[in-house]
Amino acid sequence: MEQYTIGEIIKNTRERIGLCQEDLCGPEIAASTISDIENGKHLPQLSVIKQVFERMNMKVPINLISVTDEQFELYILQMQIEEKIGRNIFSFEDELQEFEKKILKKIFLINSLF
């Protein structure tokens, strides 16, 4: 089972939502810092992680160091659902039910690991 580091989570999440590294930067976080975090060269402080996820309009994952494939997929699905609900873009009940099925599958897979 593959594990993702916080840097990989940030990179994968950023790429999935169509942002570049510069979009996560600010006065206190340089592009080189984001690059180092994503490439595993720098383990950021919690305050930096929070700022980065805020810039992506997402919540910080519960496990900040590493997560499994299943946990990461569940996290992404949760964020997608929250975004769609927040923007009221669930146009069909079927789409919501499909997301629910995916989440239940992921929860089952995660629970079966313990």
Side-chain angles (χ1 to χ4, degrees):
M1 182 180 323
E2 190 171 345
Q3 295 279 317
Y4 291 92
T5 65
I6 189 63
E8 291 169 326
I9 293 168
I10 289 170
K11 181 177 182 177
N12 289 337
T13 304
R14 175 182 60 74
E15 289 175 345
R16 283 180 184 224
I17 61 176
L19 297 177
C20 62
Q21 289 179 340
E22 289 76 22
D23 294 326
L24 305 182
C25 299
E28 63 288 338
I29 304 172
S32 60
T33 302
I34 298 296
S35 178
D36 287 347
I37 292 169
E38 290 184 354
N39 292 305
K41 296 177 183 175
H42 176 73
L43 184 60
Q45 295 180 347
L46 182 57
S47 62
V48 172
I49 294 170
K50 286 180 180 179
Q51 289 174 31
V52 167
F53 275 87
E54 283 174 10
R55 289 193 176 101
M56 293 190 289
N57 293 318
M58 298 189 149
K59 295 177 185 173
V60 177
I62 294 171
N63 182 341
L64 297 176
I65 303 304
S66 64
V67 295
T68 64
D69 286 334
E70 290 82 12
Q71 290 168 325
F72 182 70
E73 289 299 318
L74 182 60
Y75 170 73
I76 294 298
L77 285 171
Q78 178 186 354
M79 293 299 105
Q80 289 172 339
I81 288 172
E82 288 179 7
E83 176 190 359
K84 287 182 180 229
I85 289 171
R87 295 184 347 185
N88 287 325
I89 58 174
F90 272 112
S91 54
F92 302 102
E93 189 174 313
D94 293 340
E95 186 179 0
L96 182 58
Q97 288 175 347
E98 191 60 36
F99 270 110
E100 184 179 32
K101 287 178 190 175
K102 286 181 181 179
I103 287 177
L104 291 175
K105 271 184 168 177
K106 295 295 180 184
I107 290 172
F108 176 77
L109 285 172
I110 291 169
N111 287 336
S112 68
L113 298 173
F114 298 102

